[in-house]
């Protein structure tokens, strides 16, 4: 008996695959096979498949198509008379019929069978060049897709109940492939990843959910999804015993934290959404964005949490995610140094700040310098840590230039991989003295915070930074700090910054970390110097 596969691309099997290349013939066979035992008027079939031809020409095309089918597929059970055409009941099998039969008794085995049969939309890729046929096809596709989604949801529930996480993850991914706007499935997938100990993948799934909702519906994830995301972030900070099961609360549960932040969205002049956060109370302190930030992930991170706690003690600490990263828009046309400066302008205006100290880290130092030169009346103090005036593309060391170019190129291949080996290179440059937990967080931060394409673009732009000509125009009190053994930005770069800014004070720190860690002796020294600087000048 011939068997037709209609879910997904059209195919026929009869003791092996049979090639039927003519698209009109495929459309005719599929249409008849969807209702075996039913005969159709030739006039109706001719109009359905050749609507733009005259009545006689359409009937002639249908006759030729049927004759070709009977020559190529002699055992095709066509029931033919002068005016009617159809397939004989019980003499042809289709995956559509098998799919529907499996759904009559939705046991676990039948649900698995239905999932395997649904290879894709009905007649995927078929173009019969007929609006009438396409209208029929759309209706049938919609009904079958809806049935498949319901079956996959039922299968997902069964697999979760049976503890079959790997299979459940595969089913959840299939559901999102069919319809990516199923936020409830995103939540299930986040929980499944977490239960497998893959919290980074769970957090990454939230970012994918957030991006598709913004792109397709211009909305944010709902409160249940956001609450789950925040809970996942909190679990990343708490080491778990080897035999302790991974558990999450039910959606909607409230959580209390001694330190809270308020996240807002503002629009840059080019329409890009920039996310910024305020935490703490007191006079403002603004931190320019650096490589890489994520307002929510940083808030729970053992790499950045102590920075936030320290600066919220006496200040309203203002942070934001750079365009192309974190909670800010990722799909951005203009990622450039000038755009970064405009984003800082946008954030401080949105926060309603008139005059404030400005903290720059890494490439955020150059952005802070450009802002301070452009708006000296608004910057009361300038604090620069681990910064540089000229990016790696302007260095005089050919070996270093070659190494940086190679790393930038490799970002495209290695950044998005599940294996953190490539990102570990960057982690080792930023925080070589990190403990395993801090290392794991920073590895995950990079992958969660931006895409490989944006990471590559950012790397190139940071390499092109050159604000040496602006240093002489900085007319605000400035404190420059730099780690002596910083492997990411050489110590001499910090010295160059301080030497170029009139009256700047330079403080060397005994550390090898580009991001100071809470456990190292340089951290309290850094805090003491910065807080003394901010209170000494009014």
């Amino acid at each position: 008996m011939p068997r037709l596969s209609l879910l997904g691309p059209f195919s026929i099997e009869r003791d092996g695959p049979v090639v039927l290349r003519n698209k009109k013939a495929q459309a005719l066979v599929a249409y008849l096979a969807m209702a075996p035992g039913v005969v159709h008027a030739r006039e109706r079939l001719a109009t359905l498949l050749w609507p733009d031809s005259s009545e006689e020409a359409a009937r002639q095309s249908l006759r030729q198509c049927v004759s070709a089918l009977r020559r190529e597929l002699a055992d095709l059970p066509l029931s033919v008379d002068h005016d009617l055409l159809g397939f004989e009941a019980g003499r042809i099998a289709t995956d559509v019929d098998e799919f529907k039969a499996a759904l009559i008794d939705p046991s676990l085995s039948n649900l698995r069978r239905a999932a395997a049969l649904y290879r894709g939309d009905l007649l995927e890729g078929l173009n019969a060049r007929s609006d009438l046929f396409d209208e029929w096809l759309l209706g049938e596709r919609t009904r079958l897709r809806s049935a498949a989604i319901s079956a996959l949801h039922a299968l997902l529930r069964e697999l979760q109940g049976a503890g079959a996480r790997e299979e459940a993850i595969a089913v959840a991914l299939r559901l999102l492939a069919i319809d990516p706007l199923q936020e409830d499935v995103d939540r299930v997938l986040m929980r499944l990843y977490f239960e497998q100990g893959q919290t980074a993948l769970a957090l990454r799934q939230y970012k994918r959910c957030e991006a598709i909702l913004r792109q397709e519906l211009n909305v944010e994830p709902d409160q249940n999804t956001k609450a789950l995301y925040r809970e996942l972030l909190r679990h990343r900070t708490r080491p778990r015993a080897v035999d302790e099961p991974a558990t999450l609360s039910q959606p909607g549960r409230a959580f209390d934290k001694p330190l809270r932040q308020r996240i807002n969205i503002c629009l840059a002049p080019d329409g890009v959404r920039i996310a910024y956060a305020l935490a703490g109370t007191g006079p403002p302190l603004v931190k320019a964005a650096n490589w890489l930030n994520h307002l929510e992930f940083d808030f729970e991170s053992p790499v950045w949490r102590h920075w936030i706690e320290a600066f919220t003690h006496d200040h309203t600490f203002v942070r934001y995610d750079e365009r192309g990263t974190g909670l800010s828009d990722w799909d951005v046309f203009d990622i450039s140094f000038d755009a970064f400066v405009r984003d800082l302008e946008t954030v401080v205006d949105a926060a309603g700040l008139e005059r404030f100290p400005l903290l720059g880290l890494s490439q955020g130092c150059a952005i802070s310098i450009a802002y301070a030169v452009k708006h000296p009346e608004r910057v009361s103090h300038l604090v620069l840590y681990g910064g540089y005036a000229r990016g790696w593309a302007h260095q005089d060391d050919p070996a270093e230039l070659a190494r940086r170019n190679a790393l930038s190129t490799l970002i495209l291949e290695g950044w998005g991989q599940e294996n953190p080996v490539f990102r570990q290179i960057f982690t080792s440059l930023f925080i070589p003295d990190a403990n395993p937990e801090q290392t794991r967080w920073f590895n995950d931060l990079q992958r969660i915070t931006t895409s490989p394409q944006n990471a590559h673009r950012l790397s190139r732009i940071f390499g092109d930074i050159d604000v040496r000509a602006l240093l002489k125009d900085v007319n605000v009190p400035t404190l420059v700090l730099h780690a002596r053994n910083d492997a990411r930005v050489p110590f001499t770069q910090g010295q160059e910054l301080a030497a170029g800014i009139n009256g700047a004070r330079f403080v060397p720190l005994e550390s090898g970390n580009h991001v100071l860690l809470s456990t190292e002796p340089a951290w309290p020294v850094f805090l003491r110097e910065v807080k003394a600087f901010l209170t000494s000048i009014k």
Side-chain angles (χ1 to χ4, degrees), residues 174-189:
R174 281 199 65 191
L175 275 165
L176 291 176
I178 295 171
D179 179 6
L181 298 176
Q182 300 182 84
E183 196 173 342
D184 57 332
V185 179
D186 281 299
R187 287 196 296 271
V188 169
L189 196 50

Side-chain angles (χ1 to χ4, degrees), residues 220 450 493 524:
E220 300 291 326
T450 197
Q493 292 270 50

Side-chain angles (χ1 to χ4, degrees), residues 251-278:
R253 173 183 164 187
F255 300 95
D256 295 321
K257 291 190 286 188
L259 177 62
R260 298 181 181 275
Q261 64 177 350
R262 303 174 298 284
I263 297 176
N264 302 301
I265 302 292
C266 57
L267 288 180
D270 59 354
V272 173
R273 286 173 291 202
I274 304 298
Y276 69 98
L278 298 91

Side-chain angles (χ1 to χ4, degrees), residues 10 201 325 408:
F10 177 94
L201 284 181
T325 72
S408 179

Side-chain angles (χ1 to χ4, degrees), residues 82-353:
H82 181 69
D83 291 317
L84 300 173
L85 188 65
F87 279 145
E88 297 175 19
R91 294 191 56 199
I92 191 165
T94 70
D95 57 353
V96 172
D97 286 338
E98 294 168 6
F99 172 76
K100 291 178 178 178
L103 297 183
I104 294 174
D105 175 20
S107 63
L108 179 57
S109 60
N110 280 343
L111 290 171
R112 282 176 167 146
R113 172 67 174 156
L117 285 166
Y118 192 82
R119 299 176 301 134
D121 277 337
L122 180 69
L123 300 177
E124 191 173 276
L126 177 63
N127 182 4
R129 297 183 179 180
S130 166
D131 290 342
L132 289 175
F133 181 83
D134 288 345
E135 184 178 348
W136 167 82
L137 181 58
L138 177 60
E140 294 297 323
R141 278 179 175 172
T142 301
R143 282 188 286 274
L144 288 167
R145 186 189 300 128
S146 178
I149 289 174
S150 296
L152 288 168
H153 272 283
L155 177 58
L156 183 57
R157 289 191 295 270
E158 291 283 344
L159 293 172
Q160 285 182 275
R165 294 195 187 103
E166 288 287 350
E167 191 177 353
I169 286 172
V171 170
L173 290 171
R174 281 199 65 191
L175 275 165
L176 291 176
I178 295 171
D179 179 6
L181 298 176
Q182 300 182 84
E183 196 173 342
D184 57 332
V185 179
D186 281 299
R187 287 196 296 271
V188 169
L189 196 50
M190 289 164 68
R191 288 176 177 275
L192 287 168
Y193 281 141
F194 173 80
E195 289 166 3
Q196 283 196 316
Q198 300 187 77
T199 309
L201 284 181
L203 294 169
R204 183 65 176 153
Q205 189 63 37
Y206 174 85
K207 290 301 300 180
R208 289 172 177 155
C209 170
E210 180 185 55
I212 195 69
L213 289 174
R214 281 186 179 181
Q215 178 182 334
E216 298 296 329
L217 303 177
N218 197 30
V219 298
E220 300 291 326
D222 69 25
Q223 292 305 311
N224 285 341
T225 310
K226 288 182 176 180
L228 175 58
Y229 177 63
R230 289 191 295 269
E231 187 177 2
L232 288 167
L233 288 173
R234 275 186 293 276
H235 274 272
R236 287 293 271 118
T237 63
R238 184 178 65 85
R240 200 171 68 241
V242 173
D243 58 349
E244 180 185 351
T247 58
L248 291 171
S249 68
Q250 294 304 309
R253 173 183 164 187
F255 300 95
D256 295 321
K257 291 190 286 188
L259 177 62
R260 298 181 181 275
Q261 64 177 350
R262 303 174 298 284
I263 297 176
N264 302 301
I265 302 292
C266 57
L267 288 180
D270 59 354
V272 173
R273 286 173 291 202
I274 304 298
Y276 69 98
L278 298 91
T281 57
L285 170 61
V286 178
K287 174 185 161 296
N290 55 271
W291 175 290
L292 290 159
N293 295 135
H294 188 297
L295 294 176
E296 291 184 315
F297 198 75
D298 291 351
F299 199 69
E300 304 294 342
S301 165
V303 178
W304 288 112
R305 175 76 178 195
H306 57 289
W307 288 75
I308 298 169
E309 289 177 339
F311 288 121
T312 54
H313 189 268
D314 300 311
H315 295 274
T316 298
F317 193 34
V318 182
R319 303 148 42 239
Y320 64 97
D321 287 340
E322 208 156 45
R323 60 176 53 212
T325 72
L327 300 180
S328 295
D329 279 346
W330 284 25
D331 186 10
V332 179
F333 175 76
D334 183 11
I335 294 185
S336 65
F337 182 78
D338 289 341
F340 296 152
V341 177
R342 289 194 297 271
D343 291 344
L344 175 54
E345 293 173 329
T346 299
V347 168
V348 296
D349 288 344
L353 307 181

Side-chain angles (χ1 to χ4, degrees), residues 21-33:
R21 300 187 185 282
N22 185 282
K23 299 299 182 183
K24 295 287 188 181
Q26 291 181 13
L28 176 61
V29 168
Y31 185 80
L32 298 178

